Amino acid sequence: MRTPSLAALVDALLDGERPAPVVAAGEPVLRNPLPPYEGELGADRLARLVEAMRETLHAAPGVGLAAPQIGIPLRLAVIEDPAEVPAEVAAARGRVPQPFRVLVNPRYEALGPGSAAFFEGCLSVPGWQAVTVRHRAVRLRAQDEQGRETDEEFTGWPARIVQHETDHLDGRLYLDIAETRSLSSTAAVLGHWNQPTPEAAARALGFDLPGGAAGAEA
């Protein structure tokens, strides 16, 4: 049986349900590292896919979405975060608004040794969150939907979003690096651990924090 081409997969998605459904953990498309995108879709089809991803991101809602999360094996992600959280949460997590943007072929590297630990969730792992340690600051290199190069530095929560979405394109879920003792239902996080930082959760659930210190879904 012949494997559908990337263009055929995208066309099927664009002709299907809208917003596109999010693929849940356990599907192979979420576990396959992806090669660089080299323009296989053409500008018009790529623009339509980006719009479909934007619809799904808003409907979920989330702060980031990678193409594999809607079943498309493509090194592409979108991010957007209105950061509508209390001031103390924003301050503790370094969470600032991020406009909608497209990341093609993103890759990141750590800037300095700093790390931060917060509860993190994922649209492909609905109903659960876990404390995940990530780099506090990263350098992102990518292209936008027009093929223009970008080279930027991100800190705080935006850096976490960039890492989360880029990891998706390398076949990784946040659960691969999460503190498993912290794994909590979203209801438990909201009921017990809805503080700006996860120190109380660490004490009660019995896990260590590396320093720094719960979550949006991406």
Side-chain angles (χ1 to χ4, degrees), residues 16-92:
E17 179 182 348
R18 300 288 284 269
V22 175
V23 171
E27 293 294 335
V29 69
L30 292 173
R31 289 307 198 173
N32 295 324
L34 298 169
Y37 174 65
E38 297 181 342
E40 297 90 339
L41 297 180
D44 179 67
R45 186 182 277 114
L46 178 63
R48 292 167 62 210
L49 174 60
V50 166
E51 185 56 33
M53 292 177 66
R54 186 173 191 167
E55 290 178 13
T56 297
L57 179 67
H58 289 172
V63 296
L65 184 75
Q69 291 184 276
I70 54 171
I72 302 299
L74 180 63
R75 203 164 184 84
L76 167 70
V78 297
I79 65 174
E80 183 178 15
D81 184 12
E84 295 172 343
V85 295
E88 64 271 22
V89 173

Side-chain angles (χ1 to χ4, degrees), residues 14-212:
L14 294 174
D15 290 339
E17 179 182 348
R18 300 288 284 269
V22 175
V23 171
E27 293 294 335
V29 69
L30 292 173
R31 289 307 198 173
N32 295 324
L34 298 169
Y37 174 65
E38 297 181 342
E40 297 90 339
L41 297 180
D44 179 67
R45 186 182 277 114
L46 178 63
R48 292 167 62 210
L49 174 60
V50 166
E51 185 56 33
M53 292 177 66
R54 186 173 191 167
E55 290 178 13
T56 297
L57 179 67
H58 289 172
V63 296
L65 184 75
Q69 291 184 276
I70 54 171
I72 302 299
L74 180 63
R75 203 164 184 84
L76 167 70
V78 297
I79 65 174
E80 183 178 15
D81 184 12
E84 295 172 343
V85 295
E88 64 271 22
V89 173
R93 302 176 191 176
R95 190 166 180 179
V96 295
Q98 294 296 300
F100 181 81
R101 60 189 300 166
V102 178
L103 305 179
V104 179
N105 297 328
R107 58 200 187 279
Y108 67 83
E109 61 185 64
L111 289 175
S115 62
F118 293 94
F119 273 103
E120 187 170 320
C122 179
L123 297 177
S124 292
V125 190
W128 297 93
Q129 296 186 33
V131 172
T132 306
V133 179
R134 292 201 182 268
H135 304 302
R136 190 179 297 277
V138 297
R139 178 182 182 183
L140 172 73
R141 295 182 180 92
Q143 294 94 45
D144 66 12
E145 64 272 38
Q146 306 297 327
R148 295 172 296 209
E149 298 287 339
T150 182
D151 186 340
E152 298 181 60
E153 296 181 4
F154 290 81
T155 61
W157 204 257
R160 180 170 294 266
I161 297 171
V162 163
Q163 292 170 79
H164 183 115
E165 299 310 327
T166 303
D167 282 359
H168 269 302
L169 306 178
D170 290 323
R172 292 193 297 269
L173 297 177
Y174 83 96
L175 292 175
D176 297 338
I177 58 172
E179 169 53 64
T180 55
R181 287 187 67 94
S182 72
L183 185 64
S184 305
S185 68
T186 298
V189 172
L190 293 175
H192 300 299
W193 319 126
N194 196 25
Q195 300 93 26
T197 65
E199 273 84 356
R203 290 192 298 270
L205 300 179
F207 62 91
D208 294 326
L209 292 173

